[in-house]
Amino acid sequence: MDQEKNIFSDGAMLVKNGKIADLGGAADMKEMYPDESCQDMCGDIIMPGMINTHTHAPMVLFRGLADDLPLKAWLEKYIWPMEKKMVNADFVKWGVRLAMMEMIASGTTCFSDMYFFEDAAAEAVNGAGMRALLGEGVIDFPTPDAATPEEEMRRLSDLAAKWKGNDNVRISVCAHSPYTCSPDLLLKTKKLADKLKTVHHIHVAETKGERDSIAASLSGESPVKFLQRLDILDASTLAAHCVWTDAEDINILAECGVNVAHNPSSNLKLASGTAPVADMLKNGVNVSLGTDGAASNNNLDMFREMRMAALIHKGASLDPEACGAYDVLEMATINGARALSWTPLLRT
Ligand SMILES: [Zn+2]
């Protein structure tokens, strides 16, 4: 993929030392590189690795645990109690290993994770040679690996120091959401993300319940407006979901340069709704794709996610041009690289 959106239907690619050195039409490339050995890939597609910008990788071990539920009941009655009982560093290590097998098998080479014991995740990712942006989920109650949000943030700082300069692993700061983090905690997580010069990853406007409860307590404000008022939205924000966003919210997301991680399967499975992605793209919002955790999907296959994104917005908007094939391919690849601010991945 390139800025000119060239598609080489009879093309060739030069690979040197495991990296793409050049590409173009097959005849031109043969003339330019007559001495290179050639492998016929006819019938195959050569495309960039996909970037899953919102997941909770170890949750593959909870796949199928609680189906056919809305987010609130799913989280409060099943996921959070199970995490309290079962999640430890070993759970994360094996969960991430299993998740990576599933991701690699379906063409994903990089992912952005929000979970706990992320050092165990980082060791697994680095060992496998995948790439990942990993962050401990900070929330206003005890988690499996921290009694307080302050402890979780100390862990994040330690992780960032440990993995600084690593080619495969980067550390983000994850605030769970505006409905589980106090305004004070959101300001602290954003400040930490700025200090570490990294992505601030957060669930935003996932459900109608979230939008309604924030509006009820904050004189009608939407989650996006609330976060803007806190002055924590900018180009380092990775906002997962953004389902319950209106035209004013979309303008804010575009003006602040917020990156949206769209998770169509998860939003459908939990009956959260359909994010207005076609309007976001029209207004210049950088929209990437994510699977969310396998327990709310129930898989980590980005090809399925692309298909879902390409279809549901056509149906929802009655516009067959909404979220075209190339738009969706960009969402799964180059938009993801932008969302993670991972510059080397932009050269896809
Ligand atoms: Zn999520």
Side-chain angles (χ1 to χ4, degrees):
M1 296 180 77
D2 56 24
Q3 299 297 332
E4 285 82 44
K5 304 191 176 181
N6 283 312
I7 297 172
F8 301 108
S9 53
D10 179 20
M13 187 172 81
L14 179 69
V15 178
K16 286 253 186 214
N17 303 321
K19 294 201 167 150
I20 299 169
D22 200 359
L23 48 83
D28 294 342
M29 292 285 285
K30 272 184 196 157
E31 209 178 302
M32 284 166 68
Y33 304 104
D35 300 330
E36 298 292 340
S37 63
C38 190
Q39 189 178 344
D40 185 1
M41 304 290 288
C42 198
D44 295 319
I45 301 170
I46 300 177
M47 59 171 279
M50 286 179 282
I51 302 173
N52 183 348
T53 55
H54 179 71
T55 190
H56 313 279
M59 292 182 82
V60 287
L61 300 176
F62 289 146
R63 186 186 342 245
L65 169 71
D67 292 332
D68 308 325
L69 289 164
L71 179 69
K72 194 169 185 306
W74 180 81
L75 276 176
E76 292 176 358
K77 289 191 182 161
Y78 296 90
I79 298 299
W80 286 340
M82 284 300 278
E83 285 179 337
K84 203 171 162 193
K85 257 191 208 165
M86 296 188 64
V87 173
N88 54 35
D90 216 36
F91 179 101
V92 169
K93 177 178 90 174
W94 290 107
V96 168
R97 285 183 174 186
L98 181 60
M100 285 192 297
M101 288 169 72
E102 188 175 341
M103 286 193 264
I104 293 165
S106 50
T108 296
T109 54
C110 178
F111 64 100
S112 165
D113 203 54
M114 179 192 293
Y115 211 60
F116 311 107
F117 297 100
E118 288 285 354
D119 191 44
E123 294 286 357
V125 167
N126 198 39
M130 264 188 96
R131 292 189 179 104
L133 179 70
L134 306 168
E136 299 276 333
V138 182
I139 196 164
D140 258 324
F141 51 78
T143 68
D145 64 353
T148 63
E150 287 71 26
E151 187 185 339
E152 201 77 84
M153 284 194 284
R154 275 197 298 277
R155 267 175 187 275
L156 271 169
S157 296
D158 292 347
L159 274 177
K162 176 176 172 182
W163 292 97
K164 195 170 186 216
N166 186 283
D167 285 340
N168 297 325
V169 171
R170 294 186 179 190
I171 302 301
S172 61
V173 175
C174 301
H176 180 262
S177 71
Y179 66 94
T180 50
C181 299
S182 65
D184 184 50
L185 182 56
L186 291 169
L187 288 169
K188 283 182 184 160
T189 55
K190 175 59 180 154
K191 198 171 166 191
L192 179 61
D194 287 347
K195 186 178 155 206
L196 299 175
K197 294 189 176 60
T198 191
V199 170
H200 190 229
H201 187 177
I202 179 169
H203 296 100
V204 178
E206 182 172 358
T207 63
K208 185 170 185 300
E210 174 187 339
R211 185 171 175 119
D212 289 348
S213 70
I214 288 177
S217 60
L218 295 165
S219 53
E221 273 184 347
S222 69
V224 170
K225 272 213 99 200
F226 162 59
L227 296 174
Q228 183 205 27
R229 182 166 57 76
L230 286 184
D231 198 20
I232 63 169
L233 295 181
D234 59 26
S236 70
T237 309
L238 175 57
H241 303 299
C242 297
V243 174
W244 289 86
T245 46
D246 58 20
E248 194 185 356
D249 294 328
I250 291 172
N251 280 337
I252 293 170
L253 294 172
E255 275 169 23
C256 296
V258 170
N259 303 283
V260 171
H262 176 39
N263 303 263
S265 298
S266 171
N267 298 154
L268 290 178
K269 182 182 170 184
L270 297 166
S272 302
T274 307
V277 164
D279 290 339
M280 290 180 192
L281 292 175
K282 263 186 221 151
N283 284 278
V285 177
N286 183 49
V287 182
S288 60
L289 264 190
T291 57
D292 215 345
S296 63
N297 186 302
N298 288 346
N299 65 75
L300 304 177
D301 184 338
M302 288 283 282
F303 274 103
R304 289 200 202 187
E305 219 57 41
M306 284 199 292
R307 175 179 160 79
M308 190 65 80
L311 290 177
I312 61 167
H313 300 296
K314 291 174 171 59
S317 63
L318 304 181
D319 176 5
E321 293 182 3
C323 287
Y326 204 90
D327 293 329
V328 171
L329 191 56
E330 284 187 325
M331 285 160 64
T333 55
I334 198 160
N335 291 8
R338 286 191 193 109
L340 306 195
S341 302
W342 203 313
T343 314
L345 298 179
L346 283 169
R347 295 183 64 246
T348 52

